[in-house]
Structures are given as C-alpha cells and as structure tokens.
Amino acid sequence: MPVDILPIERRHIAGFREVLDSVARERRYLAFTEAPPMPQVRRFVLGNLRSAAPQFVAVDEGRVVGWCDISPKTREALRHSGILGMGVAATHRGTGVGARLLAATLEAAFASGLTRVELTVLADNAAAIALYRRFGFETEGLCRDYLLLDGRAQDAMIMAKLK
Ligand SMILES: CC(C)(COP(=O)(O)OP(=O)(O)OC[C@H]1O[C@@H](n2cnc3c(N)ncnc32)[C@H](O)[C@@H]1OP(=O)(O)O)[C@@H](O)C(=O)NCCC(=O)NCCS
C-alpha cells in the first residue's frame, strides 16, 4: 500500500499527535521532547483548518506517519510569511515521504498567498538540511546554543525560501 499525502482532517488529529510524540521523544530533532497535551494539539489543528493554514499528513494504512505544516504569522506586516514544521516516523524515513509532504505543503502555502516560508533546524540535522536545500531553502543565520537538552547545547540554523 502506498503512503498517501493528504490535507489534514479532524480524523487525523490523534494520529498526528502520536507521530509528533514519537519524533519528539527521540530528543534529537525537535524542540519538543513530547507532544503537547491532546487539547492543545486539537486546538492547533482545528485552528489550521479554520484559517486554511497548510498542513498535510502522510498516512500508511490508516496510520499517520508524518506531517508538515506552515503556520502563517498573524501581524499585518508579517502575514506574507509562515513557519514550517515537519517530521516523519523513524519507520518511514528515507523513502520519499518527507519530500512529498514538503512539496504538497509548500505548494499549498504559496498558492494561498504566502511568499516567504522559514524554519529552524538543528545544525547537525544533515537529512533535514539536505531536504530543505533540495527544495530551495537558503540559510539565513545561525542561532548559537539554540537548544539545551540532556546537558548538550546545540546550534540551529534559520533557513527560508521565498516564492
Ligand atoms: C528530515 C525528514 C523529515 C526527511 O524526511 P524523509 O522522509 O526521511 O526524507 P526523504 O526520504 O523524502 O528524502 C528527501 C531528501 O532528504 C534528504 N535526506 C533524507 N534522508 C537523508 C539522510 N539520511 N542523509 C542525508 N540526506 C537525507 C535528501 O536530500 C533526500 O533527497 P534524495 O533522496 O534525493 O537524496 C526526516 O528525516 C525526519 O522526520 N527526521 C526527524 C524529524 C526532523 O528532523 N524534522 C525536521 C526538523 S527541522
């Protein structure tokens, strides 16, 4: 069965939280160390649905195995730009799911009128950085000691892509 890339719907909320939780608990890639509580995740997704903010999920036989979302900023002067977050379950990495999620979400973001998409990625996350570069993201800056986890400080890069 192929993995489907779908705009998120209410029925995906619990699965989205589960895959976010599993990636967060790896403690290697995200600023989350676990998923936020369900009500918070539900509010986030329902807010995205209401505002038509781009959020896609990868679904394998009913199980959510990845996500990508772009949250538009709210202030008038910043509304042309959005912040991207994504992840793929460890079981499904390296099979093209991340690239498909990113392609779908970027296309929706630019179609909706956004002209700038930015993200923060840990400086040693080679897979994610390669993926973002492949899609035309450029490095704009380095955040020193951005994250401090398990006694280790890690730098992060700000990357962005303009339409
Ligand atoms: C980063 C991530 C989303 C990529 O998703 P994926 O499904 O594994 O990636 P894909 O299989 O679609 O690969 C797409 C591209 O990513 C890059 N890539 C993926 N895995 C890689 C690896 N292990 N090493 C180097 N580049 C890699 C390559 O550019 C690849 O393109 P190619 O196949 O033409 O070489 C996934 O590894 C992940 O979820 N990591 C943990 C969470 C995370 O880092 N989220 C992003 C936080 S900013």
Side-chain angles (χ1 to χ4, degrees), residues 67-128:
W67 79 93
C68 184
D69 53 65
I70 296 174
S71 299
K73 298 183 182 178
T74 50
R75 287 184 205 159
E76 183 182 352
L78 303 177
R79 268 185 216 143
H80 63 294
S81 74
I83 301 174
L84 183 141
M86 72 179 300
V88 172
T91 48
H92 285 69
R93 288 181 196 148
T95 61
V97 170
R100 291 171 62 207
L101 276 168
L102 185 55
T105 313
L106 278 177
E107 188 185 341
F110 288 141
S112 77
L114 290 184
T115 57
R116 174 184 161 86
V117 174
E118 63 188 50
L119 59 87
T120 306
V121 57
L122 292 179
D124 69 355
N125 191 345

